[in-house]
Amino acid sequence: MAEQDQTPVFQLQRMYLKDLSLEQPNSPQILLEQQQPQVDIQLSMSAEGIADGLFEVGVTATVTTKIGDRTLFLVEAKQAGIFEIRNLPPEQVQGVLGVVCPQMIYPYLRAIVSDVCTRAGFPPILLAEVNFQAMFEAQQQAQAGGDGAGEATIN
Protein backbone atom coordinates (compact mmCIF):
# COMPACT_ATOMS: atom_id res chain seq x y z
CA MET A 1 0.00 0.00 0.00
CA ALA A 2 2.86 2.42 0.75
CA GLU A 3 3.99 2.10 -2.89
CA GLN A 4 0.53 3.13 -4.10
CA ASP A 5 0.73 6.28 -1.99
CA GLN A 6 3.88 7.34 -3.89
CA THR A 7 2.39 6.90 -7.36
CA PRO A 8 2.78 10.16 -9.33
CA VAL A 9 -0.54 11.90 -9.93
CA PHE A 10 -1.32 14.54 -12.57
CA GLN A 11 -4.96 15.25 -13.19
CA LEU A 12 -7.08 18.17 -14.36
CA GLN A 13 -9.80 18.70 -11.76
CA ARG A 14 -11.62 21.61 -13.37
CA MET A 15 -11.19 24.18 -16.14
CA TYR A 16 -13.00 27.52 -16.10
CA LEU A 17 -13.12 31.06 -17.43
CA LYS A 18 -11.89 33.13 -14.49
CA ASP A 19 -12.11 36.62 -15.96
CA LEU A 20 -13.42 38.24 -19.13
CA SER A 21 -13.57 41.89 -20.06
CA LEU A 22 -14.45 43.74 -23.27
CA GLU A 23 -14.16 47.50 -23.58
CA GLN A 24 -14.99 49.76 -26.51
CA PRO A 25 -14.22 53.16 -24.97
CA ASN A 26 -14.47 55.20 -28.17
CA SER A 27 -17.58 53.62 -29.67
CA PRO A 28 -19.54 54.40 -31.72
CA GLN A 29 -17.51 57.18 -33.38
CA ILE A 30 -14.34 55.13 -33.84
CA LEU A 31 -16.34 52.39 -35.58
CA LEU A 32 -16.75 54.75 -38.53
CA GLU A 33 -12.97 54.88 -39.07
CA GLN A 34 -11.71 53.10 -42.17
CA GLN A 35 -8.09 52.66 -41.09
CA GLN A 36 -6.54 49.30 -40.28
CA PRO A 37 -6.16 48.99 -36.49
CA GLN A 38 -2.89 48.14 -34.76
CA VAL A 39 -3.19 45.00 -32.64
CA ASP A 40 -1.11 44.31 -29.52
CA ILE A 41 -1.38 40.93 -27.81
CA GLN A 42 0.09 40.22 -24.38
CA LEU A 43 0.08 36.78 -22.75
CA SER A 44 0.91 35.95 -19.16
CA MET A 45 0.81 32.85 -16.99
CA SER A 46 0.31 32.34 -13.29
CA ALA A 47 0.42 29.31 -11.02
CA GLU A 48 -0.22 29.01 -7.32
CA GLY A 49 -0.86 26.31 -4.77
CA ILE A 50 -4.41 26.37 -3.43
CA ALA A 51 -4.38 23.25 -1.24
CA ASP A 52 -2.18 20.23 -0.64
CA GLY A 53 -1.38 18.86 -4.10
CA LEU A 54 -3.81 21.25 -5.84
CA PHE A 55 -2.72 24.14 -8.02
CA GLU A 56 -4.53 26.84 -9.96
CA VAL A 57 -2.87 27.66 -13.27
CA GLY A 58 -4.07 30.59 -15.36
CA VAL A 59 -3.25 31.99 -18.77
CA THR A 60 -4.30 35.57 -19.50
CA ALA A 61 -4.53 37.23 -22.90
CA THR A 62 -4.84 40.99 -23.25
CA VAL A 63 -5.67 42.17 -26.77
CA THR A 64 -5.58 45.90 -27.45
CA THR A 65 -6.53 47.30 -30.84
CA LYS A 66 -5.97 50.95 -31.65
CA ILE A 67 -6.47 53.34 -34.51
CA GLY A 68 -3.85 56.00 -34.00
CA ASP A 69 -3.81 56.73 -30.28
CA ARG A 70 -7.48 55.84 -29.72
CA THR A 71 -8.53 52.40 -28.51
CA LEU A 72 -10.91 50.55 -30.81
CA PHE A 73 -11.42 47.69 -28.37
CA LEU A 74 -9.69 45.90 -25.54
CA VAL A 75 -10.29 42.26 -24.58
CA GLU A 76 -8.82 40.64 -21.50
CA ALA A 77 -9.55 36.99 -20.77
CA LYS A 78 -8.14 34.62 -18.17
CA GLN A 79 -8.68 30.89 -18.56
CA ALA A 80 -7.74 28.83 -15.52
CA GLY A 81 -7.63 25.27 -14.35
CA ILE A 82 -7.27 23.38 -11.10
CA PHE A 83 -4.72 20.60 -11.36
CA GLU A 84 -3.90 17.84 -8.93
CA ILE A 85 -0.16 17.15 -8.86
CA ARG A 86 1.25 14.74 -6.30
CA ASN A 87 4.39 12.69 -5.72
CA LEU A 88 6.56 14.46 -8.29
CA PRO A 89 9.99 15.94 -7.55
CA PRO A 90 9.73 19.74 -7.03
CA GLU A 91 11.72 20.52 -10.19
CA GLN A 92 9.27 18.45 -12.24
CA VAL A 93 6.26 20.13 -10.60
CA GLN A 94 7.52 23.53 -11.77
CA GLY A 95 7.87 22.24 -15.33
CA VAL A 96 4.38 20.73 -15.29
CA LEU A 97 2.90 23.97 -13.93
CA GLY A 98 4.83 26.13 -16.38
CA VAL A 99 4.49 24.04 -19.53
CA VAL A 100 1.99 21.18 -19.46
CA CYS A 101 -0.88 22.93 -17.65
CA PRO A 102 -0.80 26.11 -19.80
CA GLN A 103 -0.71 23.94 -22.95
CA MET A 104 -3.97 22.34 -21.81
CA ILE A 105 -5.63 25.67 -20.99
CA TYR A 106 -4.49 27.77 -23.96
CA PRO A 107 -6.75 26.34 -26.71
CA TYR A 108 -9.80 27.31 -24.66
CA LEU A 109 -8.43 30.82 -24.16
CA ARG A 110 -7.81 31.17 -27.92
CA ALA A 111 -11.42 30.20 -28.65
CA ILE A 112 -12.81 32.62 -26.06
CA VAL A 113 -10.83 35.60 -27.38
CA SER A 114 -11.85 34.86 -30.96
CA ASP A 115 -15.51 34.41 -29.97
CA VAL A 116 -15.65 37.62 -27.90
CA CYS A 117 -14.17 39.67 -30.75
CA THR A 118 -16.70 38.24 -33.20
CA ARG A 119 -19.64 38.81 -30.85
CA ALA A 120 -18.47 42.40 -30.34
CA GLY A 121 -18.81 42.98 -34.09
CA PHE A 122 -15.13 42.75 -35.05
CA PRO A 123 -13.17 40.22 -37.08
CA PRO A 124 -11.91 37.39 -34.86
CA ILE A 125 -8.48 37.77 -33.31
CA LEU A 126 -6.65 34.49 -33.70
CA LEU A 127 -4.00 34.06 -31.03
CA ALA A 128 -0.87 32.38 -32.37
CA GLU A 129 0.36 29.07 -31.05
CA VAL A 130 2.70 29.47 -28.08
CA ASN A 131 5.78 27.47 -27.21
CA PHE A 132 5.23 27.23 -23.46
CA GLN A 133 8.48 25.30 -23.05
CA ALA A 134 10.46 28.26 -24.42
CA MET A 135 8.37 30.69 -22.36
CA PHE A 136 9.03 28.67 -19.19
CA GLU A 137 12.76 28.46 -19.89
CA ALA A 138 12.94 32.23 -20.47
CA GLN A 139 11.13 32.82 -17.19
CA GLN A 140 13.52 30.47 -15.37
CA GLN A 141 16.54 32.27 -16.85
CA ALA A 142 15.11 35.68 -15.87
CA GLN A 143 14.59 34.48 -12.30
CA ALA A 144 18.08 32.96 -12.15
CA GLY A 145 19.50 36.27 -13.36
CA GLY A 146 18.04 38.03 -10.33
CA ASP A 147 15.17 39.60 -12.26
CA GLY A 148 12.68 37.95 -9.93
CA ALA A 149 9.85 38.25 -12.42
CA GLY A 150 6.97 36.06 -11.32
CA GLU A 151 5.04 36.29 -14.54
CA ALA A 152 6.12 35.47 -18.07
CA THR A 153 4.89 37.67 -20.91
CA ILE A 154 4.97 37.25 -24.67
CA ASN A 155 4.45 40.17 -27.04
Side-chain angles (χ1 to χ4, degrees):
M1 283 252 188
E3 287 180 30
Q4 265 187 329
D5 294 341
Q6 296 305 312
T7 302
V9 174
F10 173 72
Q11 187 171 313
L12 173 64
Q13 296 291 323
R14 169 171 258 156
M15 191 174 307
Y16 51 97
L17 178 62
K18 185 161 185 166
D19 186 28
L20 179 61
S21 171
L22 168 68
E23 298 175 27
Q24 295 186 45
N26 295 299
S27 293
Q29 293 81 8
I30 200 165
L31 297 175
L32 302 175
E33 297 279 336
Q34 297 299 316
Q35 299 174 30
Q36 187 70 18
Q38 302 152 345
V39 179
D40 178 53
I41 300 171
Q42 301 288 321
L43 290 177
S44 63
M45 297 182 314
S46 62
E48 65 178 279
I50 55 174
D52 184 39
L54 294 177
F55 300 86
E56 180 189 54
V57 177
V59 181
T60 302
T62 304
V63 179
T64 307
T65 58
K66 291 185 173 191
I67 295 177
D69 62 346
R70 296 182 308 155
T71 300
L72 179 59
F73 70 91
L74 171 82
V75 173
E76 184 171 77
K78 182 174 186 177
Q79 184 74 24
I82 297 174
F83 295 87
E84 181 180 7
I85 303 172
R86 298 183 191 278
N87 304 321
L88 290 178
E91 63 276 4
Q92 286 184 358
V93 171
Q94 291 306 311
V96 169
L97 291 173
V99 178
V100 178
C101 297
Q103 284 176 333
M104 293 174 72
I105 294 169
Y106 189 65
Y108 295 91
L109 179 65
R110 290 180 73 203
I112 288 165
V113 169
S114 179
D115 186 51
V116 167
C117 293
T118 302
R119 289 177 185 267
F122 300 103
I125 299 289
L126 302 175
L127 300 179
E129 290 293 327
V130 174
N131 181 340
F132 285 101
Q133 181 69 40
M135 193 172 172
F136 176 73
E137 288 171 4
Q139 181 183 13
Q140 295 298 100
Q141 287 177 348
Q143 288 176 348
D147 183 345
E151 224 175 56
T153 303
I154 291 184
N155 293 324

